[in-house]
Amino acid sequence: QVQLVESGGGLVQPGGSLRLSCAASASMFNINGMGWYRQAPGKERELVATITRGGSTMYADSVKGRFTISSGNAKNTVYLQMNSLKPEDTAVYFCNANANVGKGQLNYWGQGTQVTVSS
């Protein structure tokens, strides 16, 4: 069973920065990739960024050039460096891990961390 622990959310002014962290209980061998999603009030959850075990990254158009996803050496941790934050970035941010379970694979989710961008 995979457990995810998130941290780093908070209140920041427009143009500021935050760094989100997520640690998974599974080993590098179990996890295929990790990512960050976000959900604003009244809106659907959307993909923000992903990183594979091999290090390939992908970003939503809305955050390209501002956000950077990275992983630790063990590949069971993931970070999201958020720069030049805008009010429209305000949302609950969720960590995701895709892990091998038995003969298949499953997606696991963190509890979410609130990011609020406001003056």
Side-chain angles (χ1 to χ4, degrees), residues 30 32 99-106 108:
N30 298 123
N32 303 308
N100 293 322
V101 180
K103 297 181 180 180
Q105 60 186 34
L106 292 174
Y108 294 85

Side-chain angles (χ1 to χ4, degrees), residues 42-94:
K43 297 185 178 180
E44 296 182 349
R45 185 176 299 185
E46 64 176 351
L47 177 66
V48 176
T50 62
I51 185 167
T52 69
R53 192 165 68 92
S56 298
T57 59
M58 186 277 294
Y59 298 91
D61 289 340
S62 59
V63 306
K64 287 181 179 177
R66 300 189 298 120
F67 291 10
T68 302
I69 189 170
S70 61
S71 61
N73 291 334
K75 308 299 182 184
N76 63 345
T77 57
V78 65
Y79 308 96
L80 186 68
Q81 179 66 47
M82 305 184 294
N83 299 324
S84 301
L85 283 162
K86 305 174 181 179
E88 47 264 47
D89 295 318
T90 296
V92 177
Y93 284 70
F94 297 91

Side-chain angles (χ1 to χ4, degrees), residues 4-7 20-24 34 36 76-79 95-96 110:
L4 304 180
V5 180
E6 299 168 301
S7 62
L20 306 183
S21 300
C22 176
M34 299 182 71
W36 290 95
N76 63 345
T77 57
V78 65
Y79 308 96
C95 180
N96 167 267

